[in-house]
Amino acid sequence: MRNSCFKLLLLLLVLCAVAAAKEWPSIPPEVWAIKVEAGQPNQGAVILEERIQFRERDTEVHRRIRIFSEAGKGAATIPSFNKIFEMEGRTVQPDGSVTLFNDAKDLVSTSLKVGSWEAKQQSLIPPGLTADCVVDLHYRVGTYITGTWSELPLLSAFPIRRKVIEIPDRMTMGSILTGLEHIQHERTATKEVVTFNFKELPANDPEPYSSPTARLRPRLIFFFQPNRLRDEAENGPAFYWNEVGTWYFKSIYDRNISKGSTYRNWSKALRAGLEGDAVSKAGAILSRLEERIQNGSQLTFAEFAALSRKLAEEKMAAHDLDASVKRERTSATGMRYLFFQLLVDEGLDPKILMVTDRNERDFRFEFPNIYQFTDTLIGVASPSGGMAWFDPSTRYFPAGIVPPKFQGTRGLLVNPKTWKCAPYDLGIQGSRVNVGIYEYDLNLAEEETFALRARFTGYPEFAERNKFFSLEAKEQERKLKEEMEPSLKGYTITKVAVEHATDVRKNLAWTLGGAREAEEGRHRVFHPFPGLPSPLTIPDAWPELRKSPIVLSYCRVFGAISQFKIPKGWRLVTDPDQVHSNEFGTVAWKLTRTTVGEEDRVKIIFSVEVGKIYAPAESYRAFREFMAWIESATRRSLTLERLS
Amino acid sequence: MSFVRTVCALLLPLAMAPMMAQDLRDLPEWARPHALVASKEPAPPDADAWVLFERTEVAYAGDGEIRTRRLMLLKVLSERALDAGTFVIHGLGGKASVVKRLRGWNLRPDGEVTKLDQDRVVTMDNASEADVSTDTLTAAALPRVAKGSLIAFESLQVIQHPMGPIAATGILRSFPIRRWELEPAKQEGWFTNLKRVEVRVDRRHVEPWLAGLSPLGEKGLAADRVPALPKDEGYHPAARNVVPSVVVRFLDPDLKGGPPWDDWNRNAAWMYAKYTDKLQATPLEGAKGKDLRTGLEFLTRWMARELQYRQVYLSPERGWIPLEAAEVGRRKYGDCKDLSCFLMAQLRLLGAEVRPVLARIMDGQVELDETPSLGTFNHAIAAVRLNQRLGLAAEVETPQGRFLLVDPTDRFTSFGFLGEVHRDGRVLICTPDGGIWVQVPSSAIQRAKIGIYLKGEVDASGGLKAALRILETGNAWGLRGVAQASGLQNLRKHLLTNLMDLPPTATLEITKMGEPLDLNTPFLIELEVKHPDGFRRSGDEASLAALGWRILPGQIQKPGAPRRYPVRQGGGAVLEYTADLWVAQHCVPILPAKSGDTPFRSFSWSAVASPEGTGTRLALQLRHESKLVTFDGDHREEGVAASKKDRAQVKNLMADALAFKVLP
C-alpha cells in the first residue's frame, strides 16, 4: 500500500513536471527556408518574433530567432541582468533535434563587490547553437526601468520581423515611443495594457559620421514625472514649462541662492572696470571668475594633491555663494550659479538655456518632462542680435562658443525676469570661430628637421587645452610628445613645449621640433607637414550605401603652412595645386615658389573649411568626395630629384 | 654670535620642514628601512614610479594550501603613476583563492597618511580573458595619492589551487625595483607535519637583465636594482622566453588530488587520466563505420562546422581540466581542451587510441629544459596513435610509436596539417605511462600563402578599375575566419581596413566568395575595385596603388634608444602578387626587376611593359616571403640595424616597383 502511494505520488510529480514544461510553438517550414538573401546585408540571423511585456516590477521576454550563418550566433546572446526570475529555451536543429536549456542548468552568475556592497549579474550562454538553427527563448527578469530616465532601443544588430511591446496602462513611470518616423507600427489599447506592434525593423548598423541623435533613433523611453508636476503635465506643454520655470528654475537660481555681504563685496570688486558691450563684459566676468574661484569639479592633479583631506571631502554647497567666495572654490554647478549671479549684478539680463547633448537625447518642448536636459548654458543678448552663450561649468570653455554637442539642437529658454519658458533653437556656429593653425619650418639638409607651432581658437582651443590643463608642465610636454610620436615614425622629437595650458587669458599653443636622416633613394620623398593630424578622421571602410543622415561635430577652419628652402643640387617635382569645394566645404592645397638671390623658397598652404555639419543621407557621395580631398591632401608628399 | 646660532637653531627645523613632511613612522615597520635608504638615493631617471621594496613570501601549509604574503613599497614619481595607488590581486575564485588580508598606506608628501578603506576594495568575478570564468580580481585603491606619495601594500592570500601547490612569478615590472625578494617556506601547524615536503625553487633567464640573484634564507632569492621591463620595443620574443622568472614548487608526497610537479612524466600521466575520465560520448551519426582516416576527416570537418570555440569556466579547475565530451556535444561549444576531449571521445568510438597533447602557441615556446610549471602550456590538442602511416603531414615518430597530431580548435588549416601557430613548437603527448616530448616538424605545418591576381584597366585620368582574385591557403591573413565568423559585410570591412588602402571615393565589392570551411582548396574571394586615383600621376611619373601589398614591416623601436630585448620575427605567409593591367598611357617601369634577400625576408619582383593599342600593357609579379629570424643577446643591436635596413629596402621596393615613367 505504501509502495502504491509512493508510485502515485511519483506519477503526480511527473505529470506536474510535464504540465509545467514550456510548450514552444511549432516551427513552420518557411522558417527553415530563411537563408542569406542575395544583395541584402547578411547579419546571419533574423529575430522572427520578439514580445516584451513590461510590468512594474519585472519584464517578460519571448523571442524566436532564426540563425542561418555563424555570424548570426550573436543574436541568441542574452544580456546580463541583476536578477533572472526564470529563463528557459531551446535550440532546434533542422533535423528536429532539440537542446533544451534553463536557468537551473545553464545560468552564469558573476558579481562585483565594493566594500560591503555587492551587485550580481546573471546571464546565459545558450547551448546547442549552430550556424543553422532556431532558438526559442523565454525569460522573466527584474525591471528594465531604473532612475528617472531609461531608454530601450527598438532596433538590434539583427533585423526583427515582428516586435510586440506591452506596457501596462498604469505605471509609476511614464513612457513614450520616439524616433518612429520611418518605422511601421500600430498601437492598440485595452483598459489594462497598451500594445505596440512593429513589423520589419531593420538591423541597426552604425555608419561613419552618423549620430545616435535621439530624433533618428527609435526607442522606448520610461521617464519619471515629479509629483509636483503630474497635474501640470496634463495641461499642455506651455503650461507645464511655465510651471517648471516658476517652481523649479526660480528656486535654484533665485530662491535657494544664499548671498551675503561677502559675496556682494567680492562681486563688486570682480566687476570693477568692466568695459564694452554685454558680450565683452560677460566674457571678462567669466575669465575673472575662473581666475578667482577654483572649479572643484575639474581640478588639476597638482590642485587635487594640494587639497587637505578636509577640503577634499567637504561638500561644496553650490547655492551658498558666500561660502564659495570664502573658500575660493566651488563645484561646476556653483560656478554656473556664481556666473549667473554676477551677470545679474552687472545688469546684463542673463538668460538660462536648458540644453540636451545631441548624442544622448533630444529635447522636445511638446513632451512635458523635466528630465530631458543634460546641461545648462547661460547667455546674454548680443548687440549684433541673437544671444551669446557661455558654459561656466566647464573649466576653460571659451566664451561665446556653443559646445558642439548642443549645436543645431532645441533647448528650453528660461527668462529669469518672468521665469517663463519657451523653446529655443541653438544654431550652428560658423567655421571662422573654430580655428586650428599648424605652421611648419622645414630644413631639408642631410638631417631633415622641422619646427612646428600650433595655435588654436574656439572649440579646437578648448579640445587641446582639455588634454593638457590637468597635468603639470613636464607631463604636458610628455603627453604631447607621445601623442605625436605615432604619426612621426622615423623622426626623433627634439623639442616640445605646451604654452598657456592653465592661463585663462591666453589661448593655448604648442611647439614641436623633430629630426630624421634624409632617406637615401632614387628621390628624396618628404612630407611637407610631418605629423599633421587629419582635420577629420578618415574611416578605413565606407559602406557603399548610406541610410542615416551625415553628422559632423562642428564647423571649423583648419590650416597648415609649410615653408622650406630647396637644398642645393636638388629639384622639386611639383604637381598642380588643388582647390576643391562642395556643399561640405573647401579643401585647398597650394604651393608658391619665390627666389631670393640663390635661394629657392617654397611655401605650401593646406586649408580645410568645414562649412556644414548636418546633411541628409542623399549627400553621401558629396561627403565621400569631400573626405577624399582631405585624405589626398593630408597624404600628399613632395619629391626632390637630384640634379645631374 | 650666539644670537645667530639661536636664529639658526630656530630656523633649521623650518628649513627642513619639507624634507621632514613625510614621517616614515607612519609606514608599516617592514617598509621604513627601505623608505629611509631610498630617500638618500636619487630616483631612477625617466621612471614614473620606483618600487622601493617588493617581497613575496610563499608558505606551504599542507594539504595543497599555499599562503602568499605580498609586501610592496613604492614611491610615486610622476602624475602618470597615480594609479600605482591601486593594488591588484588575481585569484581563481571560489575556494581556490581567498584574500585574507589587505592593508594599504599612502604617506603623502605633505605628511598626511591615508589608509585603505574597505569601501575602496573592489572584487569582481569573471576577471580573465575567457567568455565566462570564476577568476576574480581584487583591487584596492588608496585615496589621495599624489606625486611624491609613498605607497605601501600588504596582502595575504590563501590559495588552494586545483592544480596543486605551485607558484610562479616574474621579477621585472613596469617600474624599476630597488630591492626584490622571494622567500618560500613551509608553514607547519600543530597537526601538520611537512617534513616530507620538498621545496624547489627554479629560476630562468636571469641574465643579462640582472647581475644575479642572491640567496635569501634557506630557499629564497633576492635582487637589487631590478630594471623596468623594456617599453616601445617591437619584434621581440615572448617575454616568457627571455625575461627572468621564478617557479616555486612544494612537492608533497602525501597530497591527494592535483598533478605531481616533480617531473613531466608523472604530470603527463595525471593529465592523461583527467582526459580519459571524460571520454564518454554518443557516436556522431556520420562517423559510424568509417575507418580512422575518413572518420577523422569527417570528425574534424563536423567539429569545424558545428562547434564553437568559447572559454566558459564555471569552476576554478576548468582552466586546465576539460569538460565531459558528452556535455561539449550538448553545448556545442568549448575551449581547446573541451574540443580535444570531444574529438578524442569520438575517435575512441572509432577504435582509435587517443592521447591529449599539451602545447604552447602564439606566446613563445616551451624550452628544452623547462621546469614543470603551470604556465608552460597554453593550448591543448589531441594525438592519435597510428599503427601504420596515413600519409598525413602532422604525423610524428616517437620512441613510443607513431602519432598524428590534430588541433581541433583550428578550423581553417587543411586536414592532416597543423597551423602556423605550431611552428617551432614543442608539445607533450600525455600517455598513461608518462609524457612524450615532440618537436613539431616544420613539414607538419601548412605553409600559409596569399595569392593576389589583379586584372584591370587604367583610364587616361588615372582611374583604376580592377578585378582581384584573392586565394588564401591555410589561415594566412585570417580571411576564412572573418568570413566564417562574421559574414560578407564584415569581410568587406576587414579587407578595407587591413588589406586595401583605398580612398573614401573608391569602391570595393565582393563579387564571389568561396566556402570558408572548405579546406581542400584555397579560400577564394573575388573583388571589383574602382580607385579614382589608382594610377596617380606626379610629375612625369605615375604610381600604382599597392592593393594587398601588406609587406611593409612596422618600425622596430624608437630611433636612438638602446635595445634591451633580443630581436625576433616569427615568419609569415608567402605573398604572390600578379597583375595584368592595361594603362591608357605610354609608360615604362622604373624598376623592371629586383630581388632581395635580407635576414627578415626574401622577395623577387618583375615588371614588363609592352605597347598595346593607345596605351601599355603591364605584367607585374611579386613574390614575398617573411623569414623566421632571431638575433639573440649580444646581437640585438645588430638585429635592430638589420631591421631598419630591411624596412628601408621594403619601403624603396614599394615606392619604386609600382612607379612608372610616363612617356610623352
Side-chain angles (χ1 to χ4, degrees):
Chain A
M1 180 63 187
R2 186 180 284 180
N3 199 25
S4 305
C5 282
F6 178 73
K7 281 180 180 170
L8 189 64
L9 189 64
L10 198 66
L11 182 67
L12 276 170
L13 283 171
V14 169
L15 286 173
C16 286
V18 169
K22 176 89 181 168
E23 287 214 7
W24 301 101
S26 61
I27 301 171
E30 58 268 26
V31 167
W32 292 110
I34 300 172
K35 302 279 179 196
V36 183
E37 288 176 43
Q40 291 298 308
N42 172 21
Q43 278 85 14
V46 57
I47 296 168
L48 299 169
E49 177 148 4
E50 183 174 63
R51 175 180 291 270
I52 307 176
Q53 295 163 286
F54 290 99
R55 288 186 286 265
E56 198 72 63
R57 295 185 183 281
D58 65 6
T59 306
E60 191 162 1
V61 179
H62 288 83
R63 191 179 293 138
R64 169 167 284 185
I65 305 145
R66 166 73 174 121
I67 295 171
F68 46 84
S69 83
E70 206 167 292
K73 285 184 179 175
T77 303
I78 300 164
S80 296
F81 296 99
N82 292 340
K83 179 65 192 162
I84 295 180
F85 297 115
E86 56 179 307
M87 178 174 286
E88 57 195 326
R90 63 173 190 164
T91 310
V92 187
Q93 309 300 331
D95 64 5
S97 58
V98 174
T99 307
L100 291 171
F101 52 88
N102 58 39
D103 48 304
K105 203 160 37 175
D106 297 285
L107 207 61
V108 174
S109 293
T110 56
S111 77
L112 174 70
K113 288 180 203 158
V114 181
S116 53
W117 175 84
E118 182 172 10
K120 288 200 168 169
Q121 289 278 298
Q122 296 179 306
S123 60
L124 179 137
I125 300 173
L129 289 187
T130 63
D132 186 9
C133 66
V134 170
V135 181
D136 280 313
L137 277 169
H138 163 237
Y139 53 90
R140 193 165 63 82
V141 296
T143 182
Y144 271 92
I145 309 157
T146 52
T148 54
W149 187 278
S150 298
E151 295 197 5
L152 178 81
L154 296 187
L155 305 187
S156 87
F158 300 90
I160 303 171
R161 291 242 168 126
R162 181 162 180 255
K163 182 168 189 144
V164 180
I165 291 178
E166 292 178 8
I167 305 164
D169 190 48
R170 287 178 176 273
M171 276 185 93
T172 311
M173 300 282 278
S175 61
I176 182 171
L177 273 155
T178 182
L180 300 181
E181 285 84 345
H182 307 291
I183 302 290
Q184 276 187 54
H185 67 285
E186 65 180 43
R187 178 184 185 276
T188 53
T190 64
K191 276 186 182 174
E192 292 82 28
V193 177
V194 183
T195 304
F196 295 91
N197 273 281
F198 302 90
K199 282 183 184 164
E200 302 300 341
L201 292 173
N204 188 16
D205 191 11
E207 295 171 314
Y209 286 97
S210 60
S211 160
T213 306
R215 194 175 297 139
L216 311 166
R217 190 178 51 171
R219 71 211 190 281
L220 172 64
I221 298 168
F222 289 99
F223 60 89
F224 179 72
Q225 189 70 269
N227 284 337
R228 168 71 178 73
L229 294 170
R230 282 187 181 228
D231 292 340
E232 281 70 10
E234 304 293 322
N235 291 319
F239 185 83
Y240 177 91
W241 290 117
N242 284 335
E243 280 300 300
V244 167
T246 49
W247 168 65
Y248 180 69
F249 293 118
K250 186 176 179 186
S251 67
I252 63 167
Y253 283 93
D254 186 19
R255 276 199 295 263
N256 291 352
I257 293 291
S258 161
K259 49 182 184 180
S261 58
T262 307
Y263 166 77
R264 280 195 292 274
N265 293 336
W266 174 86
S267 166
K268 197 173 169 186
L270 183 140
R271 292 180 291 105
L274 288 172
E275 287 175 358
D277 59 28
V279 178
S280 308
K281 283 182 177 172
I285 287 173
L286 181 56
S287 160
R288 292 178 187 184
L289 172 64
E290 288 204 318
E291 280 177 331
R292 287 163 170 78
I293 305 288
Q294 196 178 61
N295 184 336
S297 305
Q298 295 153 49
L299 296 177
T300 67
F301 285 120
E303 287 167 346
F304 185 73
L307 282 185
S308 69
R309 182 188 289 194
K310 192 181 162 207
L311 278 177
E313 289 170 359
E314 186 183 47
K315 283 197 176 164
M316 294 175 282
H319 66 279
D320 188 344
L321 305 192
D322 273 353
S324 297
V325 168
K326 271 182 202 158
R327 71 164 100 79
E328 296 180 338
R329 193 167 70 89
T330 185
S331 63
T333 309
M335 291 296 280
R336 189 170 72 239
Y337 291 165
L338 278 170
F339 180 61
F340 175 79
Q341 200 54 52
L342 287 164
L343 298 186
V344 171
D345 295 349
E346 188 61 20
L348 297 180
D349 187 16
K351 303 283 187 294
I352 300 159
L353 185 64
M354 301 305 296
V355 286
T356 305
D357 181 344
R358 68 184 185 208
N359 298 309
E360 289 181 33
R361 301 172 192 173
D362 66 333
F363 165 65
R364 287 189 295 159
F365 183 79
E366 62 278 14
F367 170 43
N369 187 264
I370 198 170
Y371 296 109
Q372 296 184 75
F373 309 107
T374 58
D375 297 271
T376 308
L377 301 178
I378 304 291
V380 295
S382 165
S384 54
M387 297 288 293
W389 295 106
F390 302 84
D391 182 0
S393 300
T394 306
R395 195 170 184 185
Y396 299 124
F397 202 85
I401 298 294
V402 175
K405 60 189 176 183
F406 308 131
Q407 289 191 27
T409 67
R410 173 164 286 191
L412 183 77
L413 186 72
V414 185
N415 183 347
K417 284 200 164 160
T418 60
W419 299 107
K420 299 277 183 205
C421 298
Y424 180 90
D425 291 325
L426 265 171
I428 293 162
Q429 289 188 307
S431 55
R432 301 298 163 102
V433 297
N434 298 313
V435 180
I437 301 288
Y438 299 79
E439 290 168 294
Y440 287 84
D441 257 318
L442 302 190
N443 183 337
L444 301 175
E446 286 299 299
E447 187 190 50
E448 283 180 20
T449 62
F450 73 86
L452 162 62
R453 181 171 172 79
R455 53 201 169 82
F456 312 89
T457 56
Y459 187 74
E461 198 271 345
F462 170 73
E464 289 293 318
R465 189 187 288 266
N466 207 30
K467 287 192 276 195
F468 301 113
F469 87 83
S470 63
L471 307 171
E472 61 181 358
K474 193 179 96 186
E475 290 299 321
Q476 289 169 8
E477 290 169 5
R478 194 167 152 200
K479 186 175 176 67
L480 175 63
K481 185 169 178 249
E482 287 176 358
E483 195 176 271
M484 296 299 287
E485 266 170 350
S487 54
L488 283 167
K489 286 191 174 139
Y491 283 90
T492 304
I493 293 177
T494 52
K495 184 191 166 192
V496 57
V498 178
E499 299 162 27
H500 319 310
T502 53
D503 185 346
V504 68
R505 288 176 183 266
K506 290 183 179 154
N507 279 359
L508 179 135
W510 51 255
T511 52
L512 193 76
R516 68 165 190 172
E517 278 179 35
E519 288 184 0
E520 288 176 23
R522 193 166 49 90
H523 298 139
R524 274 179 65 181
V525 179
F526 66 98
H527 199 289
F529 307 107
L532 182 70
S534 177
L536 293 172
T537 307
I538 312 286
D540 291 319
W542 293 83
E544 284 306 313
L545 298 171
R546 176 90 186 190
K547 286 176 289 199
S548 55
I550 296 154
V551 181
L552 284 84
S553 182
Y554 57 95
C555 295
R556 66 186 297 194
V557 171
F558 176 99
I561 302 156
S562 179
Q563 300 191 75
F564 57 90
K565 195 169 69 179
I566 297 173
K568 280 189 178 157
W570 295 86
R571 183 179 79 84
L572 182 70
V573 179
T574 50
D575 293 326
D577 289 346
Q578 287 180 14
V579 181
H580 302 287
S581 187
N582 71 9
E583 61 180 288
F584 286 93
T586 304
V587 180
W589 198 102
K590 291 181 183 171
L591 183 148
T592 50
R593 303 175 73 140
T594 48
T595 307
V596 181
E598 288 190 353
E599 276 188 10
D600 195 1
R601 298 196 65 85
V602 177
K603 182 177 183 180
I604 300 167
I605 299 176
F606 164 43
S607 65
V608 175
E609 181 165 10
V610 181
K612 186 177 199 176
I613 63 166
Y614 286 112
E618 290 72 34
S619 296
Y620 186 44
R621 193 187 170 89
F623 183 55
R624 280 173 78 169
E625 192 179 51
F626 182 66
M627 296 296 265
W629 296 332
I630 293 175
E631 200 223 19
S632 166
T634 43
R635 278 189 181 202
R636 199 163 165 175
S637 54
L638 292 171
T639 304
L640 290 173
E641 274 183 356
R642 199 182 286 276
L643 293 170
S644 50
Chain B
M1 188 64 190
S2 70
F3 172 75
V4 172
R5 199 174 290 156
T6 310
V7 169
C8 284
L10 286 169
L11 288 179
L12 192 61
L14 290 175
M16 287 188 67
M19 290 163 63
M20 302 288 283
Q22 281 175 313
D23 185 344
L24 301 184
R25 285 171 301 182
D26 289 326
L27 290 170
E29 206 172 329
W30 56 261
R32 288 173 205 160
H34 300 283
L36 185 66
V37 178
S39 68
K40 296 168 187 160
E41 296 175 8
D46 302 326
D48 291 315
W50 187 18
V51 180
L52 306 181
F53 180 57
E54 182 186 317
R55 178 179 167 86
T56 307
E57 295 164 8
V58 191
Y60 183 56
D63 207 18
E65 182 181 294
I66 286 180
R67 291 173 171 251
T68 303
R69 182 171 175 248
R70 283 175 66 195
L71 309 175
M72 195 189 69
L73 174 69
L74 171 146
K75 184 164 190 180
V76 177
L77 302 177
S78 87
E79 288 172 351
R80 290 284 178 101
L82 294 182
D83 59 2
T86 300
F87 189 68
V88 173
I89 303 171
H90 291 274
L92 285 170
K95 290 177 183 167
S97 60
V98 177
V99 177
K100 287 276 187 190
R101 193 168 68 227
L102 182 52
R103 300 172 71 195
W105 297 258
N106 166 20
L107 176 53
R108 287 165 45 96
D110 58 8
E112 182 194 329
V113 183
T114 64
K115 290 187 183 172
L116 197 58
D117 182 335
Q118 201 54 31
D119 285 343
R120 298 180 76 98
V121 177
V122 176
T123 304
M124 58 185 281
D125 287 354
N126 206 12
S128 76
E129 289 173 2
D131 297 77
V132 178
S133 82
T134 56
D135 288 18
T136 58
L137 184 147
T138 302
L142 278 163
R144 297 178 46 71
V145 174
K147 187 177 154 186
S149 277
L150 283 164
I151 304 287
F153 280 109
E154 186 179 326
S155 73
L156 177 66
Q157 192 179 14
V158 178
I159 303 163
Q160 189 85 42
H161 200 293
M163 297 301 279
I166 182 163
T169 180
I171 301 177
L172 272 57
R173 309 275 180 253
S174 323
F175 307 127
I177 305 173
R178 193 181 170 281
R179 169 79 176 171
W180 176 90
E181 294 178 359
L182 172 76
E183 189 151 24
K186 290 190 270 186
Q187 195 176 55
E188 284 181 304
W190 286 102
F191 306 104
T192 323
N193 181 350
L194 303 178
K195 290 207 167 31
R196 276 155 49 84
V197 175
E198 190 188 341
V199 184
R200 286 198 201 161
V201 180
D202 295 275
R203 62 191 94 170
R204 302 185 67 76
H205 307 299
V206 173
E207 288 169 346
W209 306 90
L210 302 168
L213 291 172
S214 49
L216 181 74
E218 199 183 332
K219 291 277 183 182
L221 298 167
D224 292 308
R225 312 280 168 202
V226 178
L229 279 165
K231 281 194 295 187
D232 305 319
E233 291 189 10
Y235 294 96
H236 63 76
R240 76 175 306 274
N241 293 122
V242 281
V243 297
S245 63
V246 181
V247 176
V248 180
R249 293 175 292 163
F250 297 97
L251 305 176
D252 183 351
D254 300 323
L255 183 63
K256 307 282 180 293
W261 288 106
D262 51 345
D263 80 8
W264 280 121
N265 273 328
R266 292 188 348 113
N267 189 280
W270 185 92
M271 195 55 86
Y272 170 82
K274 285 293 155 191
Y275 277 74
T276 47
D277 276 359
K278 301 188 166 60
L279 297 185
Q280 284 72 38
T282 316
L284 286 180
E285 204 50 48
K288 285 178 191 167
K290 287 196 160 50
D291 63 21
L292 180 59
R293 186 187 165 120
T294 52
L296 181 59
E297 191 167 5
F298 169 83
L299 286 170
T300 49
R301 283 184 178 204
W302 185 91
M303 287 180 69
R305 203 174 54 246
E306 302 291 330
L307 303 189
Q308 193 177 6
Y309 178 82
R310 291 195 89 154
Q311 290 181 326
V312 177
Y313 300 159
L314 300 180
S315 53
E317 77 285 358
R318 280 283 288 119
W320 296 271
I321 308 297
L323 199 63
E324 288 81 6
E327 180 60 10
V328 178
R330 184 188 84 90
R331 293 187 186 181
K332 289 197 162 55
Y333 64 77
D335 76 345
C336 57
K337 303 181 296 291
D338 306 335
L339 299 177
S340 295
C341 187
F342 181 86
L343 177 69
M344 288 166 63
Q346 291 295 332
L347 284 170
R348 207 166 69 155
L349 290 167
L350 293 179
E353 210 177 302
V354 286
R355 306 280 182 263
V357 181
L358 303 177
R360 180 162 203 95
I361 56 168
M362 295 157 83
D363 184 27
Q365 281 83 38
V366 177
E367 293 165 19
L368 274 177
D369 53 349
E370 204 158 315
T371 305
S373 159
L374 256 182
T376 305
F377 302 106
N378 65 0
H379 190 48
I381 62 174
V384 192
R385 180 77 188 268
L386 301 178
N387 296 323
Q388 57 182 35
R389 288 171 187 271
L390 293 180
L392 297 171
E395 290 177 27
V396 289
E397 198 64 57
T398 77
Q400 291 176 44
R402 195 169 183 81
F403 289 89
L404 172 69
L405 301 175
V406 189
D407 185 348
T409 306
D410 180 355
R411 310 160 76 194
F412 303 113
T413 294
S414 296
F415 175 64
F417 285 93
L418 291 175
E420 281 284 354
V421 291
H422 290 282
R423 188 176 289 282
D424 252 10
R426 207 164 157 261
V427 299
L428 182 66
I429 303 178
C430 302
T431 79
D433 308 316
I436 311 169
W437 284 104
V438 172
Q439 182 72 38
V440 177
S442 60
S443 58
I445 309 296
Q446 182 172 34
R447 190 70 169 113
K449 186 176 149 188
I450 281 287
I452 296 179
Y453 308 97
L454 181 150
K455 192 168 175 59
E457 285 184 7
V458 173
D459 61 28
S461 66
L464 168 69
K465 192 176 163 189
L468 271 88
R469 279 166 60 82
I470 300 177
L471 286 169
E472 181 186 52
T473 304
N475 202 17
W477 281 358
L479 301 177
R480 282 180 197 270
V482 175
Q484 177 66 19
S486 53
L488 198 69
Q489 248 179 321
N490 284 322
L491 177 64
R492 180 181 176 275
K493 265 186 208 167
H494 179 78
L495 289 168
L496 283 166
T497 307
N498 300 300
L499 307 175
M500 305 283 164
D501 191 12
L502 293 177
T505 40
T507 61
L508 179 146
E509 192 189 340
I510 299 177
T511 52
K512 190 175 176 184
M513 186 180 88
E515 165 56 50
L517 290 177
D518 174 8
L519 305 178
N520 292 329
T521 54
F523 178 51
L524 168 75
I525 305 169
E526 289 188 1
L527 309 171
E528 273 184 14
V529 174
K530 286 181 194 165
H531 188 319
D533 207 14
F535 199 69
R536 190 172 184 277
R537 184 84 184 256
S538 175
D540 56 358
E541 286 187 11
S543 51
L544 178 65
L547 301 180
W549 281 44
R550 205 173 68 162
I551 59 172
L552 183 65
Q555 212 161 24
I556 186 162
Q557 63 180 70
K558 287 183 188 176
R563 180 75 179 187
R564 295 175 61 206
Y565 275 128
V567 173
R568 181 182 165 90
Q569 178 184 270
V574 173
L575 169 69
E576 272 183 13
Y577 171 91
T578 303
D580 172 7
L581 200 65
W582 184 83
V583 180
Q585 293 168 45
H586 293 293
C587 58
V588 290
I590 300 283
L591 190 68
K594 177 155 183 143
S595 54
D597 192 22
T598 78
F600 294 86
R601 74 200 64 245
S602 63
F603 61 84
S604 62
W605 163 256
S606 76
V608 178
S610 42
E612 187 179 301
T614 54
T616 310
R617 182 157 295 277
L618 299 173
L620 315 174
Q621 274 195 324
L622 171 74
R623 190 178 192 283
H624 174 275
E625 186 171 354
S626 297
K627 293 180 188 171
L628 195 155
V629 60
T630 305
F631 290 85
D632 270 331
D634 294 344
H635 300 287
R636 57 188 190 272
E637 293 294 355
E638 196 182 303
V640 173
S643 166
K644 284 182 183 169
K645 201 171 160 192
D646 171 69
R647 188 170 190 272
Q649 198 167 345
V650 178
K651 236 177 148 179
N652 283 340
L653 173 74
M654 291 183 75
D656 294 350
L658 296 173
F660 300 86
K661 191 98 180 161
V662 180
L663 305 173

